[in-house]
Amino acid sequence: MDIEPPTHARVDAIASAICEAGRSRSRSEESPNAVETIPVEEDGVDALMREAATVLGRAAQSLAAEDSPPQVVKRKRHQRTPSLVDAAAVLAGVSEAPPPRDDNAASRALAALNALDPKRKETPPPPPPPPSPYSPNTKKSLLTVVKSLDAGLAAYFHKQRKHIKLGTSWQEFFELVDEDRSGRLTFDELASSVLNGTLKCKDLSRYDLRVFFAKADKDSSGEVTLREFTTLIYEVQLSAWPDLTDDACDKAVDILNQAASHWYRADGNWYKIFKALDVEDSGELKFDDFVQAVRGSYPPGVDVPSSKLSSATLKGLWKRLDNDRSQHVTLQEFMVFFRRHGQAHSMFKQTEHDKLLHGTLEKPEPPPSVESSDSEVWSTLRLLMRTLNAKNTKKKKYDKADVWRDWARLFDALGGPDRVTWATFSSAAKALTDVEDQALAALWTRADDDKSGELGRGEFQRCAYTIQVQSWPVLEGEELKKVVALLNASAERLHRCGGNWFKIFRLFDDDDSGLMSYEELKKVLRTGYPGLEVTTDQVTDNQIRGLWRGLDDDLSGEVSVQEFMIFFRRHGREHSMFKPTDHDLASRGLLKGPEKVEKVQLPPEKLRSIVLDLKRNLKKYYERRGMSPKLDEQWRVFFNTVDEDQSGRLDFPELKRAVKVLQVQLDDESLRGLFTAADEDSSGEITVDEFQHCVYKLELETWPDLLDKEELLQRAISVLNAHAEKWHRAGGNWYKIFKRIDADDSNTLAFEEFRHMCRSIYPGLNIDRKLLPDGLLRGLWRGIDADSSGNVTVQEFMVFMRAHAAHLDSMAGYTHRMHELASSQKVVEDTVNVEKGTGLRKLALLRDASIKFEVSEEPPVVAEWDFEALVRSMGLSESDLTADDCHAVWRAIAGRGEAYDRDGLLAWCRDPPVLKDGATDDEAAPAPAATSPATTGGAE
C-alpha cells in the first residue's frame, strides 16, 4: 500500500517505539524471567516494524536526496529522542540502544532495509575493534581504581597546596611512601598509605588494590618499582582519553602551527616550535608542560584557547604523540609526528638539485669536459680575480686580501653562494669579463671533481687555492734551514723564545684561533714588534710563499699548531729548547749511570737498630732547627734538604752525607746494608718512598702480632666499635667508621692518622689508653695492614673487620630488625602462600565453605576483580580470609590470568592440592556456617 511521506513527528514516534521494542526483546532473550517493561504485543511490534520498513525506505530516499540527517530533539542533558538513524541501527541489528548520531544517516537507513529485505544485497559486517591488552572488565576496573587513586592524590595535594601533574605527582607520592629509599614498594607499604595513610581512599577495597598491585608487578617480584607503578597509572589514564583520527590530528597540527607562526614566526619549523614548547629546555616534553605551553600566554606559550583546540583533542593529540607510553615525548618523536601530520607546512622546500635527484626535474645538458694544464687554469683564475678586484675598486669596495677567502668571493660573483650549474657559471663569468669558452670549460672540469654537474663554493675554493699554492716555489735544503734559523733568531732576540716553537706559533696566531693563515704568517714576519721584523733582504716574499707551501702540506688553507710544531721540530732540531737531561741520557745508554754499590745483606735486628738510631737523631735534628713537620712528612722534608741536585733520588754518596748530617756513626758495611735494604728496585738510587717503606717494614715487625691471639684482637675491635657507636652512631658500620677515621678523605689510612683519630676527642673516637693500650693498637694496625704497604684502603679495612668481627652486629639496628622479624614471623606463617605451604588453616576454611556453597545462576566465568566477592558470598569474612589471601589463592589457581572458569575455581577450592588427603594442619578450624550468600560472619 502507498503511504504518504511521514512527518517528522511520525518518524520520531516510530523510531522511539522501535528502539524501545528492540531493547525489550533483547532483555527478554537474555533473561526469560525478566519483567516486560514495554506493554507492546508481539504482533503489534511486528506490524510496527513492517510499517517502519516502508517509512524508513521513503525516509532514506529523501535523506539520500537531501544529504542531511533528520533533526534530533534534545530533551535533557546527556539524553535525546531516538532518531531515524537509531531505529535503522536497531532494525539492522547493529546495536540494542541508540548509538551516537553520525552524519551518514541515509546509508544507515538503507543498511536497515537491506537487513529486512532478503532480496537486497547484504552489507558486510563492521570491522572488529583493535585488541586491548586488558579485557573490558579488567580495563574498567583498573580505570575505577586509578580514578579513586587520582581523587585521593588530588585531595592530598590540595591540602599541601600543590598543583597535581600527570606522572610527576605520582613520582612524588611514590618517594613519600618509599620510606627506606629503596626505589621499590611492597604491597603493605602501598596499602597502608593508600587506604589508611596519606591518600585515605575510603571507596577502594584492599582486594581491588591488591589486584591493581599485581597488574603493576609485571615481574612477580612482590615489589613495584617507580617505573612500573607510574607506567600502569599512566597507561590506564591514557586508555580513557579519546582516540583521534588522522584528519583530527592534521587539524590540531594546523592550529598549533598557526599559533607558532603567529607568536614565534616558526611556520613549519618543527624544531623551533618544539624548543618554544620545551620551556625547561630538557629535550623532552611531558603532558603538563605540553598543556601549559599550548594554553599559556606568550612568552613562552602559544596561547591556543580551548575554543580552537579542546581539552579532549589535546589529550587525544598527546595520546598519539606518546605512542611508546614513555610519559614524555622527545624531540625526535615530536618532529617525526609533526612532519607526518603537518607536511603541508614544512619549511623545507625541494631545490632543483633535490628534484633532479628524485627524478622530478629534467636533467640539464651536461657541461663540456676539457682537460688542461695547471698553468692554463691558473691564468684563467688570475684573469677572473683581477677583473673582480678592479670592479670592486671602482665601487669602492675594499676587501682584506686573503688567499683562501678571495676564491670564495670570486665564486659568489660567478653565481654562488649556492651550488651553480654550468649554464649559470658560464653566463656569470662572461658577464664579469671576456673569457674564452675553452678556458672556462677547463676551469669547470678541474673544479667539478665529483662530476655531479653542479659546483659548490667549497669545491671551487679548494681547487683554486690548490692551483695557486702549487704554483709557488718549493723551499728545501740549505735555503729552508737558513729561513728557519733567521725566524728563530728573530724570535729569540725580540721575545726570548728561541726554540720554543709553540710560543712562536702563538705570535703568528694573531686572532688566537689555534689556526694560522698565510696572511698572519706574512704579517708577523714583516711588521715590527711584537712582530719579528724580518726584512725582504733577509727573507723574500717567494721564500715566505715556499715556507707556507711546506707548512700547509694538506692544502687546507690553514695551519694548526700541531702542523707548525712538527714542521719546525723536523727542520729546526738544532734550535730546539728541549735538551736531554742526564737521566734521559742514562736511560738511553748515552751517559754513565750512578756508581754500582756492593750489596750487603744485614740481619733484620741490626737494620732495625740502625733505623731506630736514625729516627731518634732525626727528631733531635728538627728540635735543633725549631721545625716540627708532620710525622708522615718528616723523612720527605729531610730528603729534600740533603738532595743537592733536587732529583728526588739519593745515591750512595748522598746517603752517606745524609747520615753524617744526622750525626749517626755508621761503618761502611752498615751504610751499604742500609742502602741495599732501601733500594728495592736495585736502581742504584733510593727515593724517599723507598726509604720510608723500608723504615716502616722494619718497625712494623717489632709490633705485636694479634692474628694468633684472637681474644685480644676481638677485644680491640669491640672497643673500636663501641666508641664508633657512642660518638657517631656507627657501630657495626665499618664503612662509616673508616670514613670517620679518614680525616683527609683520601680513602687510605696511614698509622699516624689511624692513631690520631682513635686518641683524639670528637670528631675522633676518644679511646682511652686503659681500654686500648698502644701495644694493642699497633697490633690491630699490623693485622689490618697485611701487605705492609704503610697505607690501608677502605676495602682492606672492611674485609679485615668483617672477617674478625663476626661476634658483633653488622649494623647498629640489626638486633632491632631481628626483633621485628621474629614478632612478624607468626603473621607470615599464617599468610596464605601455596608455594611455601603456609596458611593451611585458612585454606581449610575455604575448602569447607566452598563445599557447602550452593552454585547460583552466575556467569560461567569469574574475573579476577570479582573473586573476592565470590569468596565473601561463601560466608568467609575478612578475619577468616583476608583480601591478600584471596588474591594469593587466585594467583595459585589462575596465575596472571584475568578470568577463570567458575567450575574450575570451585573445584580447586573444594580440594586444594596443598592439603594432602583432604586433611588440614594443626591449626585447621571448622568452616563457618554458610546459611546464605548474604552471610558475612566466620568462625573464630
Side-chain angles (χ1 to χ4, degrees):
M1 62 178 180
D2 292 337
I3 299 178
E4 295 299 326
T7 62
H8 286 293
R10 178 60 178 165
V11 170
D12 290 340
I14 293 175
S16 301
I18 291 175
C19 291
E20 292 295 335
R23 287 196 295 271
S24 174
R25 177 176 296 177
S26 174
R27 287 194 295 269
S28 64
E29 291 176 356
E30 291 182 357
S31 179
N33 299 327
V35 179
E36 186 68 32
T37 56
I38 305 297
V40 180
E41 297 181 358
E42 190 68 25
D43 294 336
V45 173
D46 292 337
L48 186 60
M49 284 189 175
R50 285 194 300 271
E51 179 187 0
T54 307
V55 174
L56 287 173
R58 292 183 177 276
Q61 294 176 3
S62 62
L63 287 171
E66 297 175 1
D67 196 18
S68 62
Q71 299 295 324
V72 177
V73 180
K74 294 185 179 180
R75 295 183 175 179
K76 296 181 181 180
R77 190 175 183 183
H78 305 302
Q79 295 182 359
R80 61 185 177 85
T81 303
S83 65
L84 183 63
V85 178
D86 305 328
V90 173
L91 292 177
V94 177
S95 64
E96 299 166 359
R101 175 184 172 186
D102 58 15
D103 293 337
N104 201 2
S107 61
R108 306 231 3 220
L110 290 175
L113 294 178
N114 290 336
L116 291 174
D117 189 358
K119 296 181 180 181
R120 291 177 177 268
K121 185 178 179 180
E122 295 184 357
T123 56
S132 174
Y134 304 107
S135 64
N137 189 20
T138 299
K139 182 177 178 182
K140 180 180 179 181
S141 301
L142 281 175
L143 187 58
T144 303
V145 173
V146 170
K147 285 182 178 179
S148 179
L149 291 174
D150 282 338
L153 185 67
Y156 172 75
F157 271 65
H158 180 70
K159 292 180 181 179
Q160 301 294 325
R161 296 184 179 180
K162 292 183 179 180
H163 176 65
I164 187 168
K165 294 184 178 180
L166 183 66
T168 307
S169 299
W170 282 115
Q171 180 177 353
E172 294 182 15
F173 168 76
F174 188 94
E175 294 173 352
L176 179 66
V177 176
D178 185 17
E179 297 179 355
D180 56 358
R181 298 294 184 268
S182 62
R184 294 175 175 271
L185 280 184
T186 62
F187 176 72
D188 292 332
E189 289 178 324
L190 180 63
S192 63
S193 179
V194 171
L195 300 179
N196 303 316
T198 305
L199 301 189
K200 297 180 180 179
C201 298
K202 300 298 184 182
D203 57 340
L204 192 64
S205 68
R206 184 179 179 87
Y207 182 80
D208 291 341
L209 189 63
R210 168 64 78 174
V211 177
F212 171 81
F213 184 86
K215 298 299 180 185
D217 184 17
K218 296 185 181 299
D219 55 357
S220 301
S221 62
E223 294 179 325
V224 171
T225 63
L226 173 62
R227 183 171 182 81
E228 290 175 335
F229 182 74
T230 56
T231 299
L232 178 61
I233 293 179
Y234 181 74
E235 289 178 351
V236 173
Q237 288 174 333
L238 254 65
S239 66
W241 290 4
D243 295 317
L244 291 189
T245 62
D246 290 340
D247 294 339
C249 281
D250 295 343
K251 185 177 180 181
V253 170
D254 292 343
I255 294 173
L256 288 178
N257 181 74
Q258 292 174 6
S261 175
H262 175 72
W263 294 109
Y264 290 97
R265 300 293 187 267
D267 183 16
N269 191 340
W270 305 118
Y271 176 81
K272 190 174 181 180
I273 293 175
F274 179 88
K275 299 301 287 185
L277 298 178
D278 184 15
V279 180
E280 298 179 356
D281 197 22
S282 61
E284 59 186 27
L285 284 177
K286 295 184 178 179
F287 176 72
D288 293 285
D289 301 332
F290 178 67
V291 172
Q292 185 177 0
V294 171
R295 298 294 190 212
S297 58
Y298 176 85
V302 292
D303 197 12
V304 179
S306 57
S307 58
K308 289 186 177 180
L309 194 64
S310 65
S311 298
T313 305
L314 204 58
K315 290 181 178 179
L317 180 63
W318 178 263
K319 188 175 181 179
R320 291 286 298 270
L321 268 171
D322 190 14
N323 193 34
D324 58 355
R325 300 300 184 262
S326 61
Q327 306 183 39
H328 63 264
V329 174
T330 63
L331 172 62
Q332 183 178 5
E333 292 174 327
F334 184 87
M335 294 188 67
V336 168
F337 180 86
F338 276 84
R339 282 182 177 177
R340 180 181 297 117
H341 294 281
Q343 189 175 4
H345 309 291
S346 178
M347 62 177 292
F348 297 101
K349 308 300 179 183
Q350 282 190 335
T351 62
E352 291 185 359
H353 180 69
D354 297 330
K355 294 179 181 178
L356 181 63
L357 291 178
H358 290 85
T360 57
L361 184 69
E362 295 183 1
K363 293 184 178 180
E365 296 183 2
S369 177
V370 177
E371 299 294 336
S372 183
S373 62
D374 289 349
S375 58
E376 293 177 352
V377 175
W378 175 234
S379 300
T380 305
L381 286 170
R382 291 179 63 187
L383 173 62
L384 293 172
M385 182 59 72
R386 283 200 301 267
T387 307
L388 178 63
N389 290 337
K391 287 190 174 183
N392 289 338
T393 303
K394 288 182 180 179
K395 296 179 182 179
K396 295 183 179 181
K397 291 176 59 178
Y398 303 102
D399 294 323
K400 187 178 179 180
D402 191 316
V403 295
W404 175 257
R405 294 183 178 85
D406 284 347
W407 302 117
R409 288 193 286 268
L410 177 60
F411 179 79
D412 293 344
L414 297 177
D418 298 328
R419 297 177 67 86
V420 297
T421 61
W422 162 249
T424 304
F425 180 81
S426 59
S427 60
K430 290 181 179 179
L432 183 64
T433 184
D434 187 11
V435 59
E436 297 181 358
D437 292 339
Q438 192 77 2
L440 205 57
L443 173 60
W444 176 273
T445 303
R446 182 64 62 87
D448 188 15
D449 188 49
D450 56 357
K451 308 301 179 185
S452 62
E454 290 186 336
L455 197 60
R457 177 192 278 182
E459 290 178 299
F460 182 83
Q461 193 175 12
R462 199 159 39 248
C463 170
Y465 174 78
T466 301
I467 294 175
Q468 179 184 16
V469 172
Q470 288 180 348
S471 67
W472 290 353
V474 178
L475 196 63
E476 56 186 0
E478 294 298 327
E479 186 178 10
L480 177 59
K481 290 183 178 180
K482 178 183 175 182
V483 172
V484 171
L486 282 170
L487 190 150
N488 181 73
S490 298
E492 174 65 22
R493 177 172 60 88
L494 296 172
H495 299 280
R496 296 294 186 268
C497 61
N500 190 339
W501 303 117
F502 178 78
K503 192 172 181 180
I504 294 175
F505 176 85
R506 301 290 292 178
L507 295 176
F508 288 115
D509 187 13
D510 191 31
D511 57 356
D512 199 23
S513 63
L515 297 171
M516 178 179 64
S517 64
Y518 171 75
E519 281 66 28
E520 289 177 326
L521 174 66
K522 187 174 181 181
K523 174 185 175 183
V524 174
L525 283 175
R526 293 301 188 208
T527 57
Y529 186 85
L532 298 182
E533 297 181 355
V534 178
T535 62
T536 54
D537 295 336
Q538 295 173 316
V539 178
T540 63
D541 289 342
N542 279 335
Q543 287 177 329
I544 296 178
R545 295 190 183 100
L547 178 63
W548 178 259
R549 180 175 180 177
L551 282 168
D552 190 14
D553 186 53
D554 58 353
L555 298 173
S556 62
E558 293 175 320
V559 174
S560 65
V561 62
Q562 291 86 354
E563 293 175 317
F564 185 87
M565 294 182 68
I566 289 172
F567 179 85
F568 276 93
R569 282 182 178 177
R570 180 184 299 120
H571 299 287
R573 187 177 294 108
E574 61 274 12
H575 308 294
S576 177
M577 63 177 292
F578 298 102
K579 307 298 180 184
T581 61
D582 292 342
H583 182 72
D584 295 333
L585 295 175
S587 63
R588 298 173 187 174
L590 303 177
L591 185 67
K592 185 178 179 181
E595 180 184 355
K596 295 292 183 180
V597 179
E598 181 183 356
K599 292 186 177 181
V600 176
Q601 300 293 336
L602 294 179
E605 293 78 10
K606 188 173 182 179
L607 277 174
R608 196 171 296 113
S609 176
I610 295 173
V611 167
L612 291 176
D613 290 340
L614 289 174
K615 288 190 68 175
R616 283 194 296 267
N617 285 35
L618 179 65
K619 185 177 180 180
K620 296 178 182 178
Y621 170 81
Y622 284 126
E623 288 177 353
R624 290 196 300 269
R625 284 162 175 75
M627 300 172 62
S628 57
K630 295 181 180 180
L631 292 175
D632 55 346
E633 293 289 333
Q634 288 181 353
W635 284 112
R636 189 175 301 277
V637 173
F638 178 71
F639 258 63
N640 292 335
T641 304
V642 298
D643 184 14
E644 297 178 354
D645 57 357
Q646 297 298 313
S647 63
R649 297 169 176 268
L650 293 183
D651 54 15
F652 184 72
E654 288 177 321
L655 178 63
K656 185 183 287 189
R657 287 193 295 272
V659 172
K660 187 177 181 180
V661 170
L662 292 178
Q663 300 178 3
V664 178
Q665 301 297 328
L666 294 178
D667 55 11
D668 190 66
E669 182 182 6
S670 299
L671 273 174
R672 293 182 185 279
L674 177 62
F675 191 88
T676 302
D679 188 15
E680 296 177 351
D681 56 358
S682 302
S683 61
E685 295 177 324
I686 58 176
T687 63
V688 62
D689 293 329
E690 288 177 329
F691 188 80
Q692 280 184 315
H693 191 226
C694 173
V695 172
Y696 173 76
K697 286 196 300 182
L698 291 171
E699 188 177 2
L700 190 67
E701 292 173 357
T702 64
W703 292 0
D705 187 3
L706 298 184
L707 295 178
D708 298 333
K709 303 174 182 179
E710 190 66 26
E711 183 178 354
L712 291 177
L713 181 60
Q714 291 187 0
R715 173 189 166 190
I717 294 175
S718 299
V719 172
L720 184 67
N721 180 74
H723 282 73
E725 173 65 20
K726 175 182 178 181
W727 295 106
H728 299 286
R729 296 294 185 268
N733 190 339
W734 301 114
Y735 178 80
K736 189 174 181 181
I737 293 175
F738 179 89
K739 298 302 288 184
R740 293 300 180 186
I741 299 175
D742 184 18
D744 57 356
D745 200 22
S746 61
N747 285 329
T748 57
L749 281 180
F751 174 71
E752 300 298 338
E753 187 178 8
F754 178 68
R755 181 175 62 181
H756 173 72
M757 290 303 295
C758 286
R759 297 298 186 204
S760 62
I761 61 175
Y762 186 85
L765 300 181
N766 195 17
I767 302 177
D768 191 83
R769 283 181 171 82
K770 295 180 181 180
L771 297 176
L772 188 63
D774 289 340
L776 206 57
L777 187 64
R778 293 191 182 97
L780 177 61
W781 176 263
R782 181 176 179 178
I784 297 174
D785 189 15
D787 57 356
S788 303
S789 62
N791 290 306
V792 173
T793 63
V794 63
Q795 291 85 358
E796 291 175 320
F797 184 84
M798 293 182 68
V799 167
F800 179 85
M801 289 299 180
R802 286 177 177 176
H804 297 280
H807 62 291
L808 300 174
D809 295 338
S810 61
M811 296 291 287
Y814 178 78
T815 304
H816 178 67
R817 291 200 306 274
M818 291 300 295
H819 177 71
E820 289 182 346
L821 181 62
S823 62
S824 62
Q825 188 67 26
K826 185 178 184 305
V827 178
V828 173
E829 291 178 354
D830 196 42
T831 303
V832 173
N833 191 321
V834 178
E835 294 181 358
K836 297 181 179 180
T838 60
L840 301 183
R841 183 186 65 83
K842 295 183 177 181
L843 288 177
L845 292 175
L846 177 64
R847 179 196 62 189
D848 298 340
S850 59
I851 290 174
K852 297 179 180 180
F853 179 67
E854 295 182 1
V855 181
S856 60
E857 294 295 334
E858 297 289 339
V861 177
V862 177
E864 181 180 7
W865 298 90
D866 303 327
F867 181 67
E868 186 191 22
L870 178 63
V871 172
R872 299 290 176 248
S873 66
M874 296 179 186
L876 295 178
S877 63
E878 181 72 21
S879 61
D880 298 327
L881 201 69
T882 64
D884 296 344
D885 296 331
C886 292
H887 193 263
V889 172
W890 174 272
R891 277 301 177 92
I893 301 174
R896 298 188 67 87
E898 299 177 0
Y900 202 81
D901 180 60
R902 182 194 60 188
D903 296 335
L905 283 174
L906 293 176
W908 192 98
C909 294
R910 288 166 179 169
D911 187 15
V914 71
L915 296 180
K916 298 180 180 179
D917 300 330
T920 65
D921 55 359
D922 295 338
E923 298 179 356
T931 58
S932 67
T935 304
T936 58
E940 293 295 333

